[in-house]
Amino acid sequence: NASGDVNTISVTGQAQGEVSPDVAYLSLFISSENEDPEKAKKEVDDITTVTYGELEKLGITEENIETTDYNTHEIRNPHYFPGFDEEQKELPEPIVGYRVSNTVKVTIEDLDSVGKVIDAVSGKSNISVHNLNFDLKDKNKAKEEVIESAIENAKEQSETIAKWLGVEVVGVHKVEVRDSVSTFRGMAMSAEAG
């Protein structure tokens, strides 16, 4: 081309892949209330220790059990209600107890044991299951595989078009990667390269 312009063929390569989750993350909330904050703390600590032991019996290793949040809160009793005089509502609400809570994240690598793990911890007083998420340990590997397929798709398209036009592809001018992850019955990944 005498003017120095580059002739280009623009294509959009697409690919998608489906992968099954290989890890589950369970969030447990352990709590206790007592007038004495040390007693509430001791109860939460004792329940946590027993829970860790039960989880380890199910094959969950210690490094896959971690506290993500630990709090002590005052429990106050609002003493102002209709019938009290206005001056009383300015007084601080009296402390009637303390609530201690421990949020524990459990990483479950054996997905067949998720039900057993939930059964082992649910239904007990002072423990509630807050959240269960399924995910991939290595999302980058799955993403890279899908992007590679999208690039291969774009390459095939450009070569087909070049053949039809009687020209040759001599290089790549520009590549954009737009990816998205959708979760339906596991995880599906798609990518476009163009």
Side-chain angles (χ1 to χ4, degrees):
N1 189 327
S3 67
D5 290 339
V6 177
N7 294 322
T8 61
I9 297 172
S10 294
V11 295
T12 300
Q14 296 184 354
Q16 65 181 43
E18 292 185 20
V19 293
S20 297
D22 59 4
V23 68
Y25 300 105
L26 180 66
S27 178
L28 304 176
F29 186 75
I30 303 168
S31 65
S32 177
E33 294 180 7
N34 196 299
E35 291 177 5
D36 182 344
E38 290 304 314
K39 288 182 180 177
K41 180 185 179 315
K42 181 172 179 358
E43 184 174 20
V44 165
D45 293 347
D46 290 348
I47 293 168
T48 300
T49 300
V50 169
T51 302
Y52 275 43
E54 290 176 5
L55 292 169
E56 288 174 359
K57 286 179 191 172
L58 291 170
I60 308 294
T61 60
E62 188 175 328
E63 57 268 2
N64 286 337
I65 308 168
E66 65 178 307
T67 292
T68 58
D69 192 36
Y70 195 97
N71 286 298
T72 301
H73 296 284
E74 298 171 342
I75 302 170
R76 294 189 173 266
N77 185 13
H79 60 274
Y80 176 78
F81 55 89
F84 275 29
D85 65 39
E86 286 296 312
E87 290 176 16
Q88 286 180 313
K89 79 176 183 181
E90 300 300 320
L91 297 173
E93 298 171 343
I95 297 171
V96 295
Y98 295 86
R99 179 180 300 114
V100 176
S101 63
N102 183 10
T103 304
V104 177
K105 177 183 174 186
V106 181
T107 301
I108 306 168
E109 294 178 345
D110 174 12
L111 296 184
D112 292 334
S113 70
V114 170
K116 291 176 190 169
V117 171
I118 291 173
D119 289 344
V121 296
S122 63
K124 296 184 178 188
S125 64
N126 301 57
I127 301 178
S128 60
V129 174
H130 265 213
N131 202 0
L132 174 64
N133 290 314
F134 292 90
D135 209 342
L136 289 175
K137 285 183 254 183
D138 186 1
K139 293 178 193 166
N140 287 335
K141 180 181 176 192
K143 182 178 175 179
E144 286 172 9
E145 289 173 3
V146 173
I147 291 171
E148 185 177 320
S149 294
I151 291 170
E152 186 61 37
N153 178 260
K155 182 179 176 184
E156 289 171 5
Q157 289 180 56
S158 65
E159 288 172 353
T160 299
I161 293 169
K163 181 180 171 185
W164 290 340
L165 296 173
V167 295
E168 186 178 315
V169 175
V170 293
V172 176
H173 177 68
K174 179 180 176 184
V175 173
E176 272 184 49
V177 175
R178 286 175 269 151
D179 63 357
S180 64
V181 176
S182 303
T183 53
F184 305 97
R185 289 190 194 170
M187 298 184 79
M189 300 182 86
S190 65
E192 291 183 359

